[in-house]
């Protein structure tokens, strides 16, 4: 068996709100609750299991590799939702996307302050 990431826990102030946000933006569905978790299953089988956390949440980074068509649909939802987006992880280029490795990418934040990224090419894969 090869090693595969199966799931990760994502801290949130409101697990259902954060899970719905991700699912809505990516065009996915929120899975039924599992114990204290609200999972969002990514098409490659990995789940992001949202869990309520007290106090301050340390922002994490989650990047999603998407097709060109998926990028268009997701990016339209980002813009239609009035979300701020950036071309870079340090938020130096607001309102822009990047063209790294010959693809397209954008960063935006979820309701809990986590940094989300959509890319159409894996890093190091292109020009």
């Amino acid at each position: 068996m090869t090693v595969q990431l199966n799931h990760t826990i994502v801290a949130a102030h409101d697990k259902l709100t954060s899970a719905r946000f991700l699912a809505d933006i990516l065009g996915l569905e929120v899975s039924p609750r599992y114990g204290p978790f609200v999972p969002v299953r990514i098409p490659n089988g990995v789940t992001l299991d949202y869990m309520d956390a007290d106090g301050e949440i340390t922002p994490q980074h989650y990047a999603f590799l998407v097709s060109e068509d998926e990028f268009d649909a997701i990016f339209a939802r980002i813009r239609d939702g009035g979300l701020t987006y950036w071309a870079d992880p340090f938020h130096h280029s607001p309102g822009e996307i990047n063209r790294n490795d010959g693809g397209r990418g954008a960063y935006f934040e979820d309701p809990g302050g986590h940094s989300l990224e959509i890319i159409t090419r894996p890093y190091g894969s292109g020009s």
Side-chain angles (χ1 to χ4, degrees), residues 52-109:
D52 285 335
D54 294 328
E56 194 166 332
I57 293 173
T58 301
Q60 300 296 313
H61 175 79
Y62 301 94
F64 302 93
L65 181 62
V66 300
S67 70
E68 291 289 341
D69 289 340
E70 289 167 327
F71 185 96
D72 291 338
I74 294 165
F75 191 61
R77 289 190 284 271
I78 290 169
R79 285 186 313 207
D80 291 347
L83 300 175
T84 301
Y85 59 91
W86 300 267
D88 64 291
F90 305 107
H91 301 174
H92 294 148
S93 302
E96 298 179 28
I97 66 170
N98 67 58
R99 301 257 179 211
N100 297 338
D101 290 297
R104 294 182 292 165
Y107 296 80
F108 56 101
E109 293 183 352

Side-chain angles (χ1 to χ4, degrees), residues 1-15:
M1 175 182 209
T2 59
V3 176
Q4 298 179 17
L5 179 64
N6 178 263
H7 69 276
T8 191
I9 297 171
V10 181
H13 290 297
D14 182 332
K15 62 188 174 189

Side-chain angles (χ1 to χ4, degrees), residues 6 13-14 18 21 31 35-38 40-41 45 47 53 76 80-81 84 88-89 91 120 122 124 126:
N6 178 263
H13 290 297
D14 182 332
S18 291
F21 174 85
S31 298
F37 306 110
V38 176
V40 175
R41 183 170 302 282
T47 60
D80 291 347
T84 301
D88 64 291
H91 301 174
T120 60

